[in-house]
Amino acid sequence: MTANRVLYLLGSAAPPVLNIAGVIERAQAADWDVCLGLTPTAARWLDDELPALEELTGHPVRSQYKLPREPDVWPPADVAVVAPATFNTINQWALGITDKFVVGFVAEAIGKGIPIVTMPCVNAAYVRHTQFDASIATLRVMGVHVLYGDGGFVPNEPGQGRPNGYPWHLALDAATSALTRRDAGRE
C-alpha cells in the first residue's frame, strides 16, 4: 500500500509521546504517509526507539533543523498534527519563538496554508498561567484547529496524568477532516 496523503506528526515531551509508534500505525492504517518530528527532549525520551520509528515510517525522525546545504528528507506535508503539545511548545509557537524544528515548522506552515491540528497535553496547574489561554486563542485566530477542552484534551491535576487515555483518535480524525476541508475548498 502506498499512501498518497502526507501527515507530519510532531510531538513534544509529554507522556503520550511514549505511545507514538501505535499512533503511527493507526495513521498508516488510515492511508497516511507519516513523517515523525519530535522536540529535542521528546527525541531524547525515545532515543532507543528512533531506529524502529524510522523503519516504521520509512523516513528519518527529525528533531533538529537541517543545514542549508542539506536536502529535504520528507515529502511535503498535506496536514500537520502537533500532539502531544506541551505548555512550552504551545507558548513558543504562539509567540513565534522558533528555536525548535517542530515549532519552526508549524509557525511557517501557518503562513503556507498547511492545515494544522494541535492537541495540548498539560496539567491543570500549567493552564492556570495566563499565557496558556492567550496562546491557545492566538493559535485559533491563526487558523490552527486546537483540540482543547470539550471535544479535545481536558487537563488533569498535577500527578494524575492519563497517558494511555490521551485521545489520539481525535487528532487523527481532525487531520482527516482538515484535509477534506482543504480539498473541498480547491474544487
Side-chain angles (χ1 to χ4, degrees), residues 31-90:
D31 199 32
W32 287 103
D33 179 6
V34 181
C35 298
L36 178 61
L38 300 168
T39 62
T41 303
R44 197 173 82 219
W45 284 15
L46 295 169
D47 187 53
D48 292 343
E49 297 176 45
L50 295 179
L53 292 167
E54 289 185 353
E55 184 175 325
L56 179 61
T57 63
H59 303 286
V61 175
R62 293 191 57 196
S63 61
Q64 301 291 328
Y65 284 107
K66 69 178 188 68
L67 296 174
R69 67 180 175 274
E70 295 174 332
D72 286 333
V73 294
W74 288 354
D78 290 305
V79 177
V81 170
V82 184
T86 61
F87 178 80
N88 193 42
T89 296
I90 292 289

Side-chain angles (χ1 to χ4, degrees), residues 82 89-98 103-118 131-146 181:
V82 184
T89 296
I90 292 289
N91 289 326
Q92 283 188 325
W93 182 10
L95 293 170
I97 301 169
T98 61
V103 177
F105 173 81
V106 290
E108 186 177 27
I110 291 168
K112 289 181 172 181
I114 297 170
I116 307 168
V117 174
T118 190
Q131 184 58 52
F132 186 76
D133 283 340
S135 293
I136 292 293
T138 296
L139 294 175
R140 285 180 170 149
V141 165
M142 289 189 285
V144 176
H145 185 154
V146 181
R181 282 190 307 278

Side-chain angles (χ1 to χ4, degrees), residues 9-18 20 82-86 89 118-121 166 168:
L9 180 57
L10 308 168
S12 303
V17 82
L18 299 173
I20 203 81
V82 184
T86 61
T89 296
T118 190
M119 188 163 53
C121 184
Y166 188 71
W168 282 108

Side-chain angles (χ1 to χ4, degrees), residues 5 7 9 23 26-32 79-81 83 115-119 145 147 151-152 166-182:
R5 306 177 308 162
L7 171 68
L9 180 57
V23 178
R26 282 192 296 250
Q28 290 172 330
D31 199 32
W32 287 103
V79 177
V81 170
I116 307 168
V117 174
T118 190
M119 188 163 53
H145 185 154
L147 298 167
Y166 188 71
W168 282 108
H169 66 284
L170 296 176
L172 295 177
D173 290 348
T176 299
S177 295
L179 187 61
T180 301
R181 282 190 307 278
R182 183 201 71 182

